[in-house]
Amino acid sequence: MFDPDVATASTPPSRWYFDPAVLDREKTHVFARSWQLVGREADVSAPGDFFTCTVGHEPLIVVRDEAGGLRALSNVCRHRAGPVARGSGRGRSFRCGYHGWTYGLDGRLLATPEFEGVRGFDREAVALPAARVETWAGFVFVNLGPAAPALLDVLDTIVEETRPLGLERLGFRRRIDYEVACNWKVYVDNYLEGYHIPIVHPALFRELDYKAYRVETAPFLSRQHAPLRREGEVFAGGVDGAGQALYYWVFPNLMLNLYPGHLQVNLVVPLGPERTLTRFEWYVAGPLDASAELAFDKSVALGEQVQREDMEVCEAVQRGLRSATYGQGRYSVLRENGVHHFHGLLAGHLAGPRSGGGSV
C-alpha cells in the first residue's frame, strides 16, 4: 500500500526490482498505458516513411500515410502473427515476412495469397489494429491506452516552459546507448534526486549550486531546478534566463535535460528484470561556432562521465537489492520527494486502471 506522506512512507519492496512477474505487469500496466517516445517526426516526414518499434509487449509500425497523417499500427500480421515490417524505410504497403499478406499504409488488408476456398472470412473487415500517436516538439509518442489523457496534458507545464526555446527547431547531433545491469526503476530513482550528487558526481557537483537544488512535482512529471555556479567550467549561463540547467522527467521513463545551447533526451527501456537500456540523444540548434562547439563537447564529456558514475552506483544498488538483509528503505523529505512521487504513480498503475482512465 502506497503511503502518500513522504515523511512516513517506505520505498517499494526490493523484489519489485528483480521479480520477472513485476516487470511483466509493468509492461502491461505502465509502459502500455503511458505515452512512450518512439522517434522523431523527421524520420517519417513523407508519405510511406515508416519505422518499427516496441511499446510494452507490442511490436508497432509508425508510418506516414498517403494523406499525410501519422499512424501507429500493429506490426503483427492478422494471419499467423508474423512481422509485417522490419527496421525503417519507405514504401507503398507492408508485406508480411511470413506468408506475404499485404497491408496498406492505413492498415487495411490488401492481399491474402493462396487463400481461396476459405469460408467465413471477410477480408474487408481485417486491418492492423492502431494505437494512439501524437507529437510534440518534433518527437513522436505512442500510447496503447485508449483512455489516457492527451500527450500535451501529460506534458503539462513543460509545453509552455520550453516554448521560447524552440525545441522543434533542434537537429539531431549524437546518440549513445548504454546497457546497465540494473532494473529500470533503479535508474529512474537515481535520476529523480540530487541527494547523491555530492558523493557520486564530484565534477557535476562543482557546476551546480547544490544548496538551491530542488524538485517540483506535477501530476505526471517532475522538474528539477539546478542553479549553475557562476564559476562553473562547463555550463555558461542558463536555459531559462535564471542561470539554471533544467531536468524534466515524464512518467515513467523519459528525461529531458536542457542545458545552455542544447537538449539531451534520455530514454530508459527495460531489457529484463535486471538489465536496462539507457539511450542518450543530443539535439542542437543549427551549426555551432567554435566556442559553442567547445562548450557542447565539454557538456557531452561531463554527461558521459556522469553516466559512467550513475551506472556504477546503480549496478551496486541492484546487487544490494538482492541482499537478504534489505527489504525496504525510507525517503529523505528534503531530497527524495521526486522519487516518492514516481513510486506513487507506479503503485497506482500497477494496481490497475483508475477511475477516469488515469493512465498516461
Side-chain angles (χ1 to χ4, degrees):
M1 181 70 70
F2 176 73
D3 183 348
D5 186 348
V6 66
T8 58
S10 294
T11 61
S14 58
R15 70 174 185 82
W16 280 29
Y17 292 86
F18 54 78
D19 186 342
V22 174
L23 177 59
D24 189 65
R25 186 166 178 82
E26 287 169 345
K27 287 186 175 182
T28 302
H29 288 75
V30 177
F31 289 91
R33 295 178 178 174
S34 58
W35 286 103
Q36 291 293 306
L37 174 62
V38 294
R40 293 276 291 176
E41 284 190 88
D43 299 328
V44 281
S45 58
D49 286 352
F50 74 92
F51 61 81
T52 59
C53 60
T54 300
V55 172
H57 292 293
E58 293 297 327
L60 298 171
I61 311 165
V62 175
V63 59
R64 185 74 63 179
D65 65 24
E66 293 176 345
L70 200 58
R71 295 176 183 262
L73 304 173
S74 171
N75 192 15
V76 178
C77 182
R78 307 305 288 168
H79 172 222
R80 295 256 307 280
V84 175
R86 298 181 188 274
S88 61
R90 178 180 295 177
R92 300 179 62 181
S93 62
F94 298 111
R95 185 172 181 266
C96 177
Y98 197 9
H99 299 99
W101 282 34
T102 303
Y103 301 84
L105 301 181
D106 58 0
R108 291 183 301 114
L109 180 60
L110 302 179
T112 55
E114 301 184 72
F115 222 58
E116 297 82 1
V118 177
R119 295 190 295 270
F121 177 73
D122 182 4
R123 195 177 75 182
E124 297 298 322
V126 178
L128 297 174
R132 295 173 62 188
V133 57
E134 297 184 17
T135 63
W136 167 75
F139 294 98
V140 179
F141 293 77
V142 169
N143 196 319
L144 304 180
L151 172 64
L152 295 188
D153 291 337
V154 171
L155 294 174
D156 200 355
T157 57
I158 294 177
V159 177
E160 287 303 317
E161 289 172 353
T162 62
R163 194 182 301 279
L165 304 177
L167 300 183
E168 67 281 353
R169 297 192 297 272
L170 300 183
F172 173 78
R173 178 62 180 269
R174 186 177 303 181
R175 173 186 295 146
I176 302 177
D177 286 350
Y178 302 89
E179 283 195 23
V180 191
C182 73
N183 183 272
W184 72 277
K185 297 185 295 299
V186 170
Y187 195 89
V188 173
D189 289 350
N190 180 75
Y191 177 88
L192 288 173
E193 46 93 348
Y195 196 16
H196 68 284
I197 290 176
I199 308 299
V200 179
H201 304 307
L204 180 61
F205 179 65
R206 289 193 293 271
E207 294 290 325
L208 304 176
D209 181 358
Y210 176 73
K211 290 183 178 180
Y213 198 110
R214 68 188 190 278
V215 179
E216 296 176 348
T217 62
F220 300 114
L221 59 90
S222 65
R223 170 179 171 173
Q224 299 181 53
H225 300 257
L228 303 173
R229 294 181 185 271
R230 291 187 177 182
E231 66 272 20
E233 297 179 359
V234 176
F235 304 126
V239 297
D240 66 348
Q244 296 191 86
L246 297 178
Y247 302 94
Y248 294 103
W249 166 79
V250 183
F251 180 80
N253 62 328
L254 176 63
M255 294 89 162
L256 305 170
N257 306 319
L258 295 163
Y259 300 106
H262 70 275
L263 165 68
Q264 181 193 92
V265 177
N266 299 352
L267 191 65
V268 182
V269 182
L271 300 178
E274 298 181 90
R275 177 68 59 175
T276 296
L277 168 71
T278 60
R279 170 160 292 168
F280 282 60
E281 293 184 345
W282 286 265
Y283 296 86
V284 300
L288 303 178
D289 60 27
S291 61
E293 190 78 43
L294 179 61
F296 175 78
D297 288 342
K298 286 184 176 180
S299 178
V300 170
L302 177 59
E304 291 179 324
Q305 177 181 337
V306 168
Q307 171 66 355
R308 289 192 297 271
E309 293 163 347
D310 279 334
M311 288 173 64
E312 182 178 353
V313 74
C314 286
E315 291 179 349
V317 166
Q318 187 67 39
R319 292 190 294 271
L321 287 164
R322 281 275 190 179
S323 169
T325 68
Y326 183 87
Q328 289 178 276
R330 297 291 298 275
Y331 301 95
S332 163
V333 175
L334 180 63
R335 294 293 183 184
E336 294 178 299
N337 62 305
V339 183
H340 176 257
H341 173 248
F342 166 48
H343 292 165
L345 288 171
L346 185 67
H349 277 67
L350 292 178
R354 294 169 289 181
S355 60
S359 298
V360 295

